Amino acid sequence: MTAVGIDAIELWTGKLRLDLPNTFAPVKGEDPGKYTKGIGIEYSSLPDVYEDIVTMGANAAKRLMDRRGLVPDDIGRIDVATESAFDNSKPVSTYVAGCLEQVYDGDFHHANKGERKFACLSGTQVIDDAYNWIRAGRNRGRAALVIATDTALYERGDPGEATQGAGAVAMLVDEEPDVVALSTEQGYGSADETDFLKPNQQFPSVDGKRSIQVYLARMREALEDYESVAGDTHPDDFVYFPFHTPYPGMVRKAALLGYRHITRDTEIEDALADDIGMQPREADFPEREDYEEAIRAYMDELKETRRYREWYERAIEPTIQISGQVGNWYTGSVHIARLSALRAAAEADVDLAGEKLLVGSYGSGAQAEIHAETVQNGWREGVEAVDVEARLDDRYDLSYEEYELVHDVHNHEKEVEVDEFTQPSGEFVFTGWGRMNERR
Ligand code: HMG
């Protein structure tokens, strides 16, 4: 069967950044350690006043098309994943196509366009849709351009404010991909949940603590469902485990639970029982409360074991590095995690071709999806071309007062006149609602 997957990746980060430990924490009267050690985000990316989900998505897509020498005729499908959409009728992909048609010969008349919504998870659903479209043989030799673009902003004073971010990831999905090929096997965990929602409102209503539990529960279900079709997973089967990363601290929790799950009934479980001196079995605890207490004690010990720490440093830590520099990009977040891991491997000069990733996506509302990916021969070139370092370093550092102004500008309910902080340089810029974005 011909491999189908991600052939090229590009990103566009909001051009501003907020330093959480040094600028945000002091104003909030908080210890910087909450950000550096607890939540794990050092900088939030934020859009300048002339950026929005369309411009970020179109700019990422243009970068990708230019790098690969593509023209509209090469692309048969444009799908945008976002939970920051501003138009209840036209999909954001039509706005993005309108931008791109200003700069390329030809147009996207022939291309099927859409917009996918399921909170952060839709960033993976657009890849799935493209995969299915190609597998069904409906692509007529053309590739799919999929874009995950969001401004993840929270009400000022909401605990979620500490996890904000903004950016876009553009990906080309095609046959014989250069970066990763997707598995046919998938697992899902899905339930109607109300811990994070935005009914007719820009900023989410969030029950933060509960959202953590819902994330963990849906991910566990998705992993079990994935194993029911792909067979039991083992920690050594996968070189990296990129997960949806609202903030690195969330992935630390998910990794610990995931590790316990995938080591059960393996030689590692027995070795851990020896290291820790116990391995709670439900059958040994007549009272549920006693069992749960024993599990908590076991998990506290587990995360300090050499075996777990070595696995975490190898398989998880590389996936959360970029997230710590940009915050939550919602639909783009899991793609940032994959890119982060591949970039770390390229820097360490590790050859990943043929290695496998276990990718865990999640969206509030809530649904988790797990699939595997096989790294392809062209991965290193594809990842090095993104030049993540330059993208992150080019951002403008906001003072706290500037941050408040920018936040107000991006809160659509307010009209605030603010000068831009950076200069556009050959990119699409926002020029008003419902108007064509311009290139400056
Ligand atoms: P909070 O309640 O202000 O933070 O907000 P906290 O007090 O729980 O502290 C966070 C961590 O820092 C804790 O660690 C503290 O112990 C630690 P943990 O107990 O979690 O391991 N800490 C420190 N560590 C070292 N030194 C210190 C220090 N101080 C504290 N001095 C919360 C946290 C996540 C609730 C908040 O940011 C929030 O509401 N975020 C938004 C919701 C969210 O991101 N949920 C994640 C799961 S849901 C999801 O991922 C979906 C989402 O992406 C949306 C979508 O799908 O569309 C959000």
Side-chain angles (χ1 to χ4, degrees), residues 14 328 334 367 383 387 396 418:
N328 194 354
V334 70
Q367 185 162 299
V383 165
D387 200 2
Y396 173 92
V418 184

Side-chain angles (χ1 to χ4, degrees), residues 30-35 37-39 83 118-121 154 158-163 195-196 206-209 211-212 215 244-247 249-250 253 328 330 362-364:
E30 286 168 331
D31 184 329
K34 173 171 173 180
Y35 300 95
K37 301 197 187 93
I39 284 177
E83 57 171 285
F118 197 141
C120 307
L121 179 69
Y154 292 77
D158 186 291
E161 199 183 0
T163 63
D195 52 297
F196 179 107
V206 195
D207 180 344
K209 301 290 180 209
S211 74
I212 295 170
Y215 175 117
H244 168 57
T245 313
Y247 56 97
M250 180 72 241
K253 292 181 207 296
N328 194 354
Y330 284 161
Y362 173 74
S364 287

Side-chain angles (χ1 to χ4, degrees), residues 102-122:
Q102 294 174 41
V103 291
Y104 294 110
D105 284 341
D107 59 37
F108 292 102
H109 264 98
H110 56 274
N112 185 13
K113 305 181 190 89
E115 182 180 305
R116 249 296 191 166
K117 180 170 70 181
F118 197 141
C120 307
L121 179 69
S122 66

Side-chain angles (χ1 to χ4, degrees), residues 170-343:
M171 289 161 286
L172 197 69
V173 178
D174 206 352
E175 289 171 272
E176 307 286 4
D178 275 354
V179 183
V180 290
L182 270 62
S183 64
T184 48
E185 296 85 5
Q186 284 181 302
Y188 290 103
S190 191
D192 181 16
E193 298 279 2
T194 54
D195 52 297
F196 179 107
L197 56 159
K198 308 180 201 169
N200 292 322
Q201 61 196 60
Q202 194 200 347
F203 298 136
S205 300
V206 195
D207 180 344
K209 301 290 180 209
R210 183 165 151 64
S211 74
I212 295 170
Q213 298 314 317
V214 176
Y215 175 117
L216 294 173
R218 301 292 85 79
M219 278 289 195
R220 199 199 60 241
E221 291 161 6
L223 183 56
E224 282 168 1
D225 193 43
Y226 170 78
E227 288 184 321
S228 74
V229 283
D232 282 350
T233 47
H234 186 281
D236 297 340
D237 293 345
F238 301 95
V239 61
Y240 298 119
F241 294 69
F243 284 1
H244 168 57
T245 313
Y247 56 97
M250 180 72 241
V251 170
R252 271 183 234 128
K253 292 181 207 296
L256 187 62
L257 286 189
Y259 186 77
R260 174 152 196 273
H261 183 87
I262 61 179
T263 52
R264 80 206 181 295
D265 300 331
T266 67
E267 76 292 352
I268 300 177
E269 184 175 45
D270 296 337
L272 285 167
D274 287 347
D275 293 347
I276 296 172
M278 61 160 167
Q279 174 62 265
R281 303 264 173 215
E282 202 167 356
D284 300 337
F285 293 86
E287 299 296 328
R288 181 83 200 162
E289 274 176 25
D290 294 341
Y291 174 61
E292 284 172 3
E293 183 57 42
I295 289 283
R296 272 194 290 277
Y298 176 81
M299 298 300 259
D300 281 348
E301 296 288 331
L302 172 61
K303 65 173 179 257
E304 302 305 333
T305 60
R306 182 186 50 79
R307 273 172 234 278
Y308 176 72
R309 296 187 72 81
E310 282 178 4
W311 174 80
Y312 181 89
E313 289 301 319
R314 169 184 71 74
I316 302 290
E317 182 61 32
T319 70
I320 57 177
Q321 289 171 2
I322 300 180
S323 166
Q325 297 299 304
V326 301
N328 194 354
W329 282 15
Y330 284 161
T331 52
S333 153
V334 70
H335 306 301
I336 290 289
R338 178 198 297 104
L339 180 63
S340 181
L342 298 181
R343 171 174 166 252

Side-chain angles (χ1 to χ4, degrees), residues 39-146:
I39 284 177
I41 300 180
E42 196 183 351
Y43 292 104
S44 283
S45 277
L46 298 167
D48 205 332
V49 296
Y50 58 84
E51 296 186 288
D52 76 343
I53 52 167
V54 173
T55 67
M56 293 189 300
N59 286 321
K62 179 171 183 301
R63 227 173 227 164
L64 185 147
M65 288 180 67
D66 287 351
R67 173 151 69 78
R68 296 299 296 265
L70 300 173
V71 293
D73 201 39
D74 299 317
I75 290 166
R77 182 182 181 98
I78 306 179
D79 247 344
V80 169
T82 187
E83 57 171 285
S84 320
F86 51 87
D87 191 317
N88 288 328
S89 177
K90 252 165 76 74
V92 168
S93 51
T94 59
Y95 289 85
V96 169
C99 290
L100 296 172
E101 284 171 349
Q102 294 174 41
V103 291
Y104 294 110
D105 284 341
D107 59 37
F108 292 102
H109 264 98
H110 56 274
N112 185 13
K113 305 181 190 89
E115 182 180 305
R116 249 296 191 166
K117 180 170 70 181
F118 197 141
C120 307
L121 179 69
S122 66
T124 291
Q125 291 178 320
V126 282
I127 303 239
D128 274 351
D129 292 343
Y131 176 95
N132 295 337
W133 172 70
I134 293 170
R135 277 253 172 274
R138 291 177 152 183
N139 61 322
R140 296 188 245 165
R142 288 181 168 123
L145 174 62
V146 299

Side-chain angles (χ1 to χ4, degrees), residues 12 15 50 59 63 422-429 439-440:
W12 186 275
K15 292 170 80 174
Y50 58 84
N59 286 321
R63 227 173 227 164
T422 59
Q423 290 301 310
S425 121
E427 66 199 63
F428 300 108
V429 297
R439 192 145 183 277
R440 267 205 265 151

